[in-house]
Amino acid sequence: MSLKLISRFLAAPKFARAWYQLAITTLILGSALAITSPTRADSSKLNPPPALKTLLANVDAAANGRKLPELSRYYSSNFTTSDGLNKAGWQQSLGQFWQNYSKLTYTTTLEGWKAAGNGYTANTVTKIVGVQNVGGRTFNLQSTIASEQQIVGGQIVQQQILQERTQVSSGAKPPTIVLNLPTKIPANTEYNLDAIVTEPLGEDVLMGATIEQPVSLQAYTQAPKYKLELLTAGGLFKVARAPGKSGDYWFSTIFIRPAGMTTLTQRVHVVREK
């Protein structure tokens, strides 16, 4: 391996940790935006009530204009997420998120709704695409988040994240990853994780790592320690044991090659069997 390649890999763990923090930050902040984005739904098929359509349209307009005070009107003062985020935390995080990303595009589809008490339950799928520059490097973000919102009195009261997957890539030729991982795993049971790099590596050296982390508001400010492995094959193939404690976890894979890096993070629900 040339000295040039060695120097790139010596610097890689530092950038990988910053990259992982970026991915986790996006999951936490982006999930709170799952309804604050352009809503493209087949209204004739779903036939949502006028009040729900109006709320979505108003939220859409405020979010696209990055008008945080106006947007906040559509969130209850008691707003919470399944990850423990409240309205004050959401406002602060969203403002910082918009400041960091000069380019962001949200596309949300209303998948279904139903009447619930004196309000509605709405299920949405949001795709987020963004670009951010960190330390002279450009990071490209792609995220998909499925969530369920409780709406009462024309305001969003509660949100639960059902599924999410976020990819952050950088470099001229970042690895393309196919991740095979269940979205739900029984606690304390074995599972398979296969993360495959689809391009031929040729003479490239490939390094990688997997990370398992409980979902929490502290996670994005405290990047976990991990060790990059020098891989002899084009991917990571592991048989591991799920955590013994039920809850939501982020499972991440990181791949680094001389011309680029990719992090892919997926939410996994660890559940105790009855």
Side-chain angles (χ1 to χ4, degrees):
M1 185 184 294
S2 69
L3 289 176
K4 186 176 181 180
L5 290 179
I6 291 175
S7 65
R8 286 180 181 175
F9 278 115
L10 287 175
K14 175 182 177 181
F15 284 107
R17 286 184 172 84
W19 208 353
Y20 178 73
Q21 280 187 296
L22 178 60
I24 295 301
T25 302
T26 302
L27 288 174
I28 293 174
L29 305 186
S31 62
L33 301 173
I35 202 169
T36 64
S37 48
T39 301
R40 311 187 196 305
D42 184 349
S43 58
S44 63
K45 178 181 178 181
L46 296 172
N47 195 27
L52 180 56
K53 292 173 64 175
T54 298
L55 172 65
L56 296 178
N58 289 341
V59 168
D60 173 8
N64 283 329
R66 298 198 178 199
K67 300 175 181 178
L68 186 55
E70 182 177 337
L71 178 62
S72 297
R73 291 167 43 197
Y74 304 110
Y75 284 78
S76 167
S77 59
N78 297 319
F79 170 73
T80 59
T81 72
S82 55
D83 295 340
L85 193 69
N86 60 21
K87 185 172 182 177
W90 167 78
Q91 289 173 312
Q92 180 179 359
S93 299
L94 181 55
Q96 185 63 49
F97 190 53
W98 283 349
Q99 182 177 345
N100 290 342
Y101 277 87
S102 58
K103 296 181 181 179
L104 279 172
T105 302
Y106 300 92
T107 305
T108 296
T109 302
L110 179 63
E111 296 291 323
W113 68 275
K114 63 181 180 181
N118 59 342
Y120 308 99
T121 298
N123 288 82
T124 59
V125 173
T126 298
K127 295 182 183 297
I128 306 173
V129 178
V131 177
Q132 183 181 30
N133 293 315
V134 178
R137 293 196 176 193
T138 298
F139 295 89
N140 297 293
L141 161 73
Q142 293 183 338
S143 184
T144 301
I145 300 168
S147 62
E148 179 180 276
Q149 285 76 218
Q150 304 298 324
I151 300 167
V152 178
Q155 291 185 314
I156 302 165
V157 176
Q158 202 273 339
Q159 181 185 63
Q160 181 179 4
I161 307 303
L162 305 177
Q163 294 184 24
E164 62 184 349
R165 181 177 281 200
T166 289
Q167 176 179 291
V168 180
S169 59
S170 183
K173 294 182 179 179
T176 302
I177 305 173
V178 174
L179 177 62
N180 297 317
L181 177 68
T183 58
K184 182 180 292 186
I185 303 174
N188 202 34
T189 61
E190 287 190 348
Y191 67 92
N192 294 315
L193 185 155
D194 297 331
I196 305 164
V197 175
T198 60
E199 305 96 344
L201 294 176
E203 298 299 320
D204 276 1
V205 175
L206 182 68
M207 300 180 73
T210 59
I211 304 171
E212 171 193 307
Q213 188 176 22
V215 173
S216 69
L217 296 179
Q218 292 74 34
Y220 76 95
T221 61
Q222 300 173 355
K225 296 180 180 179
Y226 59 90
K227 184 178 180 180
L228 289 166
E229 306 174 32
L230 184 61
L231 304 178
T232 57
L236 288 162
F237 309 91
K238 293 183 178 293
V239 178
R241 183 166 292 276
K245 184 178 179 180
S246 61
D248 285 4
Y249 291 78
W250 285 309
F251 286 67
S252 300
T253 58
I254 298 175
F255 288 98
I256 303 173
R257 62 190 301 180
M261 307 165 64
T262 301
T263 294
L264 187 58
T265 300
Q266 177 179 305
R267 180 181 293 241
V268 174
H269 305 288
V270 176
V271 295
R272 284 197 173 276
E273 295 182 326
K274 296 180 180 180

